[in-house]
Amino acid sequence: MRTPLPPRKTLIGLTLIAVTICFGMAIWQLSRLQARRRANAAALAQRDLPTIELGGGTSAMLENRRVRLEGHYDLTHPILLRQFYHEGAPGVRVVMPLIPTQGDTATLVLRGFLPSADGMRVDLSLLPDPGPVLVEGVAFRIPETTDSGGRLKDRGLLTWRRLDRGEVSRLLSYPVREIYVLQERVESTGGRMFRLEPPPLDDGPHLSYAFQWTAFGVTALVVGVILSKKS
């Protein structure tokens, strides 16, 4: 027995609701795309500014700025970010606090990528202890995450999935800036450590999502019209 269709007015109403929701989501994704493009343009403008010595200034002022800082690494507190990949190979991203030559506030430096078979364990003795260093790179804000950075302790090895501002403060006994620096030039390690690129400033998925929601809206409209004619 064939199930009867709802009344035409009901179908029209449901169709209008579905179309409105789909087109509304498409417009929202386009607005997010425009916001992202504005943010990307602002970030590029910041990166095009001259390199500054990392001294005073708030994190907001330093975001996406090219900075230069001097000091020595605290090798006793490495921060290993696990389960990353570089050119298809698993490994870790190595972050270390840099104690400044002047002042008492350290800065986290993302030194680069070290290959690791399990994406967690690396021999940090392979890294040189260069003593005083001059680091240049791009500054980024350390985020606050909902899971404390994905902290994991396995057989005595402490790793994180991502940086977390609160975890960094709890780990270190000295003050740390709210930004980290992505080092642009890695030290000579016999080819063991690889340089990392800044996060891409692209459009993200918003345009494709807008197309998808538009397609859903058109489909809902066509189906609604056909069913309304049959009711």
Side-chain angles (χ1 to χ4, degrees):
M1 182 177 177
R2 184 178 179 181
T3 303
L5 293 173
R8 178 173 295 180
K9 288 185 177 180
T10 301
L11 286 172
I12 293 174
L14 292 174
T15 299
L16 289 176
I17 292 173
V19 170
T20 300
I21 291 174
C22 291
F23 287 163
M25 291 297 295
I27 293 172
W28 178 61
Q29 287 293 340
L30 289 175
S31 68
R32 293 189 65 190
L33 173 62
Q34 293 303 316
R36 183 166 185 148
R37 286 176 173 174
R38 289 193 295 269
N40 288 347
L44 286 173
Q46 285 284 89
R47 294 182 192 181
D48 285 340
L49 293 174
T51 300
I52 61 173
E53 301 292 336
L54 191 56
T58 65
S59 295
M61 294 170 59
L62 295 173
E63 182 83 8
N64 280 293
R65 284 299 305 266
R66 296 189 181 277
V67 299
R68 182 185 300 114
L69 60 158
E70 294 183 75
H72 65 275
Y73 289 119
D74 179 0
L75 302 178
T76 63
H77 291 98
I79 299 175
L80 302 180
L81 307 181
R82 66 181 181 273
Q83 301 298 333
F84 279 91
Y85 290 83
H86 180 78
E87 297 181 351
V92 300
R93 293 183 174 184
V94 180
V95 180
M96 285 187 180
L98 187 76
I99 310 299
T101 302
Q102 297 181 346
D104 61 352
T105 301
T107 303
L108 296 187
V109 177
L110 177 49
R111 297 178 66 177
F113 174 92
L114 279 179
S116 165
D118 63 357
M120 294 177 60
R121 298 181 181 278
V122 292
D123 184 3
L124 292 179
S125 65
L126 298 174
L127 298 180
D129 180 5
V133 294
L134 175 64
V135 173
E136 293 189 8
V138 182
F140 299 98
R141 186 187 297 271
I142 301 175
E144 291 278 7
T145 67
T146 58
D147 60 352
S148 298
R151 176 189 174 108
L152 175 66
K153 194 166 188 177
D154 178 50
R155 290 174 288 174
L157 176 67
L158 182 61
T159 62
W160 284 264
R161 190 67 187 89
R162 63 194 67 82
L163 285 176
D164 177 82
R165 193 181 308 163
E167 278 297 308
V168 168
S169 299
R170 284 186 285 271
L171 175 69
L172 304 176
S173 60
Y174 42 79
V176 184
R177 290 182 180 276
E178 294 183 356
I179 55 104
Y180 72 94
V181 176
L182 175 59
Q183 188 170 359
E184 292 190 320
R185 183 169 56 86
V186 301
E187 304 91 340
S188 174
T189 58
R192 297 185 183 94
M193 180 176 280
F194 297 90
R195 175 180 179 271
L196 296 172
E197 297 292 336
L201 297 175
D202 53 28
D203 287 345
H206 304 300
L207 187 58
S208 62
Y209 287 166
F211 283 138
Q212 289 177 18
W213 280 111
T214 301
F216 294 155
V218 171
T219 301
L221 180 60
V222 171
V223 172
V225 169
I226 293 174
L227 292 179
S228 296
K229 290 181 178 181
K230 291 182 178 182
S231 63

